[in-house]
Amino acid sequence: MKKTIKHIGLTAFSSLLLLTGCYDMDQYPADKVSSGSFWQDEADAKEGMMGIYSSLKKDDAFGIYYTRDCLTDIGIGLNWGVYGFIEVAQGQSNSTTGLFKDIWKRMYDGIARSNTLITNIKHVDMDESLINQYIAEARFMRAFFYNELLNLYGGVPIYDETTEIDKEYDNMYKTRNTEEEVRNFILADLEYACSALPKTWDDADKGRVTKGTAYALKGKVLLYNKQYQDAATAFEEVCNGGYGYALYPDYAGLFKPGGDESTEMIFAVQNMGGASTAYGMPVHYIANRASYGGCINCLVPSVELVDMYEYKDGRPFDWDELFPGFSTDNTVKENVFYSTFDADGKYVAEYPESVATLQKMYAERDPRMESTIILPYTANKYKGWVNNAAKDCEMIIAPSNPSNETNGYVRNAFGHNTYLYRKFVPEYDMDGLITDRFHSPTNFPLIRYADVLLMLAECYNENGNQSKAVELINQVRQRAGIALLNSGPSYLQATGKEQVFERIKHERAIEFAAEGIRYNDLKRWGLLISMTNNQAQVDVVGKVLSTKATEEKYKLWPIPQEEIDMNEHLVQNTGW
């Protein structure tokens, strides 16, 4: 494994966070370099660019983007506050909620850094073509941050490189641009990036954005705006333009060191672990108590997600076929899953009779299920790290579960009998690559080639070409190791537009579980409210842990009240 791009923060400009309100002079690092002394040569330019990339890694940016699944049908948030999204998911947030403010600020931080580079790079002693390349890279990043703001808040104020923050910080009170204006601004940045970015980087700069990355984001922006033909053209360039992207043959390996740098990764947050390179991904929000350093379980998989996984032959899964009455009777669920422990509560005294049936069923399901989720009584034990040593642990379900990692069991940090994630979660100590739970070395994908294939399939389907859409869906299914659509039985049929859309919706849910994509998918499809409002979040035996509440106003988040208080020209979103 070779991590080649290290995001060193640009301390001279890292405090340029608020682009819509007052600039706090006390935050400016006066003891650091200034714009006048910093932007001299290519080394400065590269450090400035790494400062932009470093904005991605913050928790309230994209560093733990997997927690966005807490807001959807496929995830459950268990920790109050920002990282479990519970205030938002349960309808208890308002315009003063810290989450809305923090994400807003973090996106504008990335925009400020991008603008700073675009402004100053022109004065750096470099070849003109290299300057244009840096500008293209910064404009891609600016587009990426603005696109996140657009998806979450709608129209927002546009600040470009003509804004001189050091001169205008006390008079930056622009009104909101329209959604169309923001989108056009994003697309203009991406057009420039598509024209000037390189197709590839050498090994020393692997991980930086490329021409293919720009086309992929361009397609995504157009798709979200239902410009299906234009989006298809951009995605076709990604697939056929000679960029070398391909599906990685091992789905599980994609989310481990090695696969995380494969040709499937079009754009990813670059992470590094280890004692001397602690610059990684916080994994304790998604891991379990047997994981390296423990966890706090902000995100766990929903039972809806687990039940989505088909059998390998493409048949839909149905609990009632195995255990009649399971779907309607929690007593049946308890009989299927409950074990009893010995008198000391340390070891299982008796497993449920269903263990063999469960293990056989797991083996017959879509392999992505066991690659993604730790399942009760699976033969595929979790490779934990307990008391500073490797320990194989299994998942046990019991009424008052006394099991813990010391005795060889995985557990939810809050004591709930939920499913747990395997995806992204460290195994053992990752051969020494992880030294604390805040710094897993695994890169976190923001755009994968599988994502492009399924988005292009969506474009084809909307444009009436169902056969080409199915071909692309089948590429993803074939890599997964499950039956291809339209290959025989009626349960594999997908010919009409609605049938193909249902297949796309299904594949995107399970393919990208714990990647944070589902939230924007449900929003753009107009399904967020119908699929999450009043959704009971239950454990594996049907116990209700909480209930989601998604009102109409959540289609757009509120403009943070703090920003409105500073800038009277900002108009609040409807309902807030």
Side-chain angles (χ1 to χ4, degrees), residues 432-466:
L433 293 176
I434 187 170
T435 54
D436 67 66
R437 65 184 189 173
F438 297 95
H439 297 291
S440 167
T442 304
N443 295 340
F444 183 80
L446 298 174
I447 306 176
R448 289 201 275 124
Y449 187 57
D451 189 10
V452 168
L453 291 177
L454 292 177
M455 288 191 291
L456 180 54
E458 190 173 341
C459 293
Y460 286 154
N461 187 49
E462 292 292 337
N463 289 333
N465 196 335
Q466 279 70 48

Side-chain angles (χ1 to χ4, degrees), residues 6-26:
K6 186 173 181 180
H7 300 157
I8 303 171
L10 182 56
T11 56
F13 309 105
S14 62
S15 62
L16 305 182
L17 299 177
L18 289 174
L19 290 181
T20 60
C22 297
Y23 178 72
D24 186 355
M25 288 294 288
D26 292 335

Side-chain angles (χ1 to χ4, degrees), residues 76 302-304 532-538 544-548:
I76 299 175
S302 69
V303 295
E304 287 85 354
T532 62
N533 192 36
N534 294 322
Q535 179 195 11
Q537 301 184 103
V538 300
V544 177
L545 305 176
S546 63
T547 301
K548 287 189 170 80

Side-chain angles (χ1 to χ4, degrees), residues 288 300-301 337 339 341 348 351-352 355 358-359 362 373-382 392-398 401 403 408-412 416-422 539-540:
N288 65 80
V300 297
F337 284 116
S339 289
F341 279 77
V348 173
Y351 287 93
V355 167
L358 290 172
Q359 291 179 347
Y362 295 151
I373 296 161
I374 300 172
L375 302 159
Y377 311 110
T378 178
N380 182 16
K381 292 187 177 182
Y382 170 65
D392 291 336
C393 299
E394 63 178 328
M395 182 177 177
I396 301 297
I397 305 296
N401 199 340
S403 63
Y409 305 106
V410 299
R411 61 177 171 129
N412 182 301
H416 303 306
N417 281 317
T418 64
Y419 293 107
L420 297 166
Y421 268 110
R422 190 186 297 271
D539 68 6
V540 297

